[in-house]
Amino acid sequence: MSLSPSPRLPRGPRRRSLLASAAGAALLAGCTGGPGSGEAGAGPSAVERARARAARDSEELAARYAAVIAAHPGLAERLRPLREEVVRHAEAFGGVRAASPTASGTAAGTAASPSASVRAAGPANDSDGSDAVPTDEKGALALLAGAERKLAGRRTEALLDVPGEQARLLASVAAAGAAHVFLLTEG
């Protein structure tokens, strides 16, 4: 006995077509959202928050470098390239370019006199709560190395929370921070 097609003709799209269309539409909707798209009214996306925090941390670290350079001019030649790299990191995350420390001792509007202090809320608070630049060069370098180390560690941990390109950028900047720690502690 042969099976013949049903004499009834389908009146609309078949179930399989509807399912494929619905799946395709859901996929398309998921792919068309730009950065920061997500739930309506949910605020900035996790990636935007991570970028903003990374930019802010780099800006604060650059200010810390500027304060140390102003307090210890003898370290300026050694620290200026590291600070400039930290400024470029802030820019890569969407931060604004901070001015270089000048002879008058200011950087990006932050006073940086020999008695200058940096914000305690920065990326690497001292464990004792002190935010003043140490008076000796070795202590000042240790302050910067500690700040770089803590920030590199925090960025490495954040890699799990961000996708693709953002994770690569965080990894690269964390690796640069680890290199800075080496340069600050050796030689």
Side-chain angles (χ1 to χ4, degrees):
M1 172 195 269
S2 75
L3 296 174
S4 61
S6 169
R8 244 179 23 186
L9 292 174
R11 293 185 195 210
R14 294 185 180 182
R15 193 174 358 163
R16 197 176 303 169
S17 300
L18 285 174
L19 289 174
S21 297
L27 202 63
L28 184 60
C31 293
T32 58
S37 66
E39 299 175 17
S45 72
V47 172
E48 289 171 335
R49 286 189 308 271
R51 286 183 72 86
R53 179 170 184 173
R56 187 175 53 251
D57 288 346
S58 289
E59 290 166 350
E60 290 171 354
L61 184 58
R64 188 174 292 258
Y65 268 97
V68 170
I69 290 170
H72 300 284
L75 295 174
E77 187 176 329
R78 180 177 178 183
L79 297 180
R80 223 174 248 122
L82 300 178
R83 182 188 177 280
E84 283 302 312
E85 192 166 315
V86 170
V87 169
R88 284 191 298 274
H89 296 162
E91 291 172 344
F93 289 117
V96 293
R97 179 151 181 91
S100 295
T102 63
S104 65
T106 60
T110 304
S113 66
S115 62
S117 63
V118 289
R119 291 176 27 186
N125 300 338
D126 296 330
S127 57
D128 64 358
S130 171
D131 62 348
V133 175
T135 56
D136 63 308
E137 288 184 356
K138 188 175 181 178
L141 291 173
L143 174 84
L144 290 174
E148 288 273 17
R149 187 178 295 113
K150 287 179 183 178
L151 186 52
R154 194 163 67 224
R155 286 177 171 162
T156 301
E157 290 174 10
L159 290 174
L160 301 174
D161 301 328
V162 293
E165 195 61 36
Q166 181 68 26
R168 285 187 285 279
L169 180 59
L170 273 175
S172 176
V173 173
H180 289 184
V181 171
F182 176 79
L183 293 171
L184 290 165
T185 57
E186 300 297 317

